[in-house]
Amino acid sequence: MFFSQIRGVGCALPPHIVTNDELATHMDTSDTWIRERSGIIQRHHVTDGIATSHLAIEASQNALKQAGLKGEDLDFILAATLSPDYFFPGLGVQIQHGLGCRTIPAMDIRVQCSGFSWGLATADAFMRTGKYKRLLLVGAEIHSRIMELSNRNRNFSVLFGDGAGAVILETHSGSEAPSAKNNIRGMIDHEMGSDGSGAEMLILRRPGNAGEPTFQDMGEERSMASLPHMEGQAVFKNAVTRMSEVLTELLTRNGLTAADLDLLIPHQANLRITEMLRKKFELPEEKVVSNIHLYGNTTAATLPLCMNDAQNDGRLVPGKLVATVTFGAGFTWGANLIRW
Ligand code: COA
């Protein structure tokens, strides 16, 4: 029986930190508004010349280093992003080339904030076949180049930050797979869902091919279609509902309650969403990872950034029972159960 274990975690953050006060010099907002509505104090933005692939490759190199491996040791790459360098080709092949990997498969995952959660599930499914030994999963985003520091985009641009995170998964085999009832380390279970009726509530229309004008006709000036659009309150409500549902489903199927978890790693969209989940599942603060105050919402990178920070602060050590839970544009949502 084959199953997958996480062997290394790494991340990459562009050095330029943007405070709430700095944002307030570009638009009508304030440190107080941003902190109270989202919990965010600062975020990282790239400077000229840094692309999503650069952050992805740096995070991957750090994960490889922690795992004691090199790019040539990998035999699969999954890259989750909503902000790739190019419309095509995808991010995966740039990572494959940048790390000096063999000509291994490198595939992109396009489910926005759920990308890393679905990536873990996809990785696990591939690895349970026994065909692949070492897989790299990366979540990498540059939001600062697709949003605008302006009044018309302020409900979006104060929330999102740039960053990347990566994990190395390794296939192991045994007579028993990891489960909630044993102490075998590895991926235990996953749950995913989507509802495309919510697509227009969190969307970036351009570049894209739906409707008029097509992206080829886009003028010099950025139209609203080339800025992310978000119906904040509707997204908020859907996030709380779906994240609660998917986590409940995952726990119940595995005969667990939230109290059995050592750590919950939620997608970092808004501190108020995290707090609502924490209270609903009656978890103490130390059992729920929260770092949105440092990075904002980094979409597909939030889970590995949380994993990295929780490893560094000693909460994420081998043997811990961990759940992740995410929600993103689409709408998409997911949860993973892991014996770390
Ligand atoms: N600074 C100051 N005021 C702002 C602002 C900003 N950056 N952005 C919006 N506002 C204003 C609005 O225009 C509105 O003004 P009005 O009352 O005069 O119309 C007011 O603040 C309240 O806006 P509202 O949208 O009701 O605030 P909110 O409490 O819902 O918080 C979000 C806004 C975006 C922080 C919140 O809805 C949210 O986090 N939603 C979920 C986002 C999310 O998770 N997205 C990713 C999913 S993966």
Side-chain angles (χ1 to χ4, degrees):
M1 191 173 285
F2 297 103
F3 53 91
S4 61
Q5 272 179 12
I6 291 178
R7 176 165 163 180
V9 182
C11 69
L13 291 156
H16 180 53
I17 292 173
V18 178
T19 62
N20 294 342
D21 284 335
E22 187 179 336
L23 291 182
T25 66
H26 298 281
M27 64 187 90
D28 297 331
T29 192
S30 66
D31 180 51
T32 308
W33 193 96
I34 300 170
R35 279 184 200 232
E36 283 176 1
R37 301 294 172 120
S38 71
I40 298 166
I41 296 175
Q42 61 174 51
R43 74 287 292 141
H44 294 243
H45 282 182
V46 292
T47 44
D48 285 351
I50 303 297
T52 305
S53 60
H54 297 139
L55 297 180
I57 290 166
E58 186 185 333
S60 304
Q61 285 166 335
N62 289 334
L64 284 166
K65 195 170 166 195
Q66 192 179 94
L69 297 170
K70 293 194 161 46
E72 67 217 38
D73 298 321
L74 296 171
D75 44 20
F76 208 107
I77 294 172
L78 288 171
T81 187
L82 61 67
S83 51
D85 291 8
Y86 308 121
F87 194 63
F88 73 84
L91 179 62
V93 292
Q94 289 177 281
I95 299 169
Q96 179 273 336
H97 181 60
L99 292 177
C101 300
R102 292 170 287 117
T103 53
I104 56 173
M107 196 168 96
D108 281 27
I109 296 184
R110 292 282 315 270
V111 287
Q112 300 61 250
C113 297
S114 302
F116 209 84
S117 171
W118 288 34
L120 287 172
T122 308
D124 189 43
F126 272 118
M127 299 181 87
R128 281 179 190 258
T129 66
K131 188 171 174 193
Y132 302 101
K133 180 75 181 152
R134 293 190 187 104
L135 184 149
L136 168 69
L137 169 63
V138 190
E141 307 286 4
I142 292 183
H143 292 110
S144 59
R145 294 299 161 106
I146 57 172
M147 62 198 191
E148 200 173 76
L149 303 185
S150 64
N151 279 345
R152 65 177 183 173
N153 204 212
R154 67 178 179 169
N155 76 325
F156 190 93
S157 56
V158 300
L159 298 181
F160 289 81
D162 305 339
V167 297
I168 309 291
L169 291 111
E170 190 167 64
T171 302
H172 289 254
S173 61
S175 55
E176 215 183 335
S179 84
K181 306 285 173 229
N182 64 34
N183 286 319
I184 300 170
R185 296 182 56 212
M187 296 288 159
I188 297 172
D189 197 8
H190 316 279
E191 184 70 28
M192 295 174 277
S194 70
D195 177 6
S197 72
E200 309 236 333
M201 286 187 237
L202 184 48
I203 189 167
L204 177 60
R205 294 176 187 279
R206 296 288 181 265
N209 292 311
E212 294 296 332
T214 63
F215 74 90
Q216 291 95 328
D217 299 329
M218 208 165 68
E220 283 292 305
E221 199 177 329
R222 272 182 133 186
S223 72
M224 286 306 283
S226 64
L227 288 179
H229 163 80
M230 180 174 72
E231 291 172 33
Q233 289 190 2
V235 172
F236 191 106
K237 283 181 200 147
N238 274 279
V240 173
T241 306
R242 293 303 190 185
M243 287 166 95
S244 301
E245 282 173 4
V246 74
L247 183 59
T248 302
E249 176 76 30
L250 184 75
L251 292 173
T252 308
R253 189 169 58 236
N254 287 277
L256 298 171
T257 67
D260 297 312
L261 294 174
D262 294 310
L263 204 60
L264 177 64
I265 304 181
H267 170 54
Q268 305 289 300
N270 187 316
L271 183 61
R272 289 187 290 140
I273 295 177
T274 300
E275 277 297 287
M276 285 173 90
L277 285 173
R278 187 179 74 72
K279 286 177 184 153
K280 181 181 166 55
F281 288 96
E282 298 179 349
L283 288 165
E285 275 182 27
E286 64 274 15
K287 279 194 171 189
V288 181
V289 183
S290 174
N291 57 16
I292 192 166
H293 57 293
L294 297 174
Y295 315 126
N297 182 348
T298 57
T299 310
T302 60
L303 294 189
L305 285 172
C306 284
M307 289 170 180
N308 192 66
D309 285 359
Q311 271 194 343
N312 289 340
D313 70 25
R315 280 185 289 174
L316 199 52
V317 292
K320 294 286 182 193
L321 188 62
V322 182
T324 74
V325 62
T326 59
F327 178 84
F331 296 131
T332 56
W333 53 90
N336 314 90
L337 188 63
I338 308 165
R339 177 75 63 188
W340 196 259

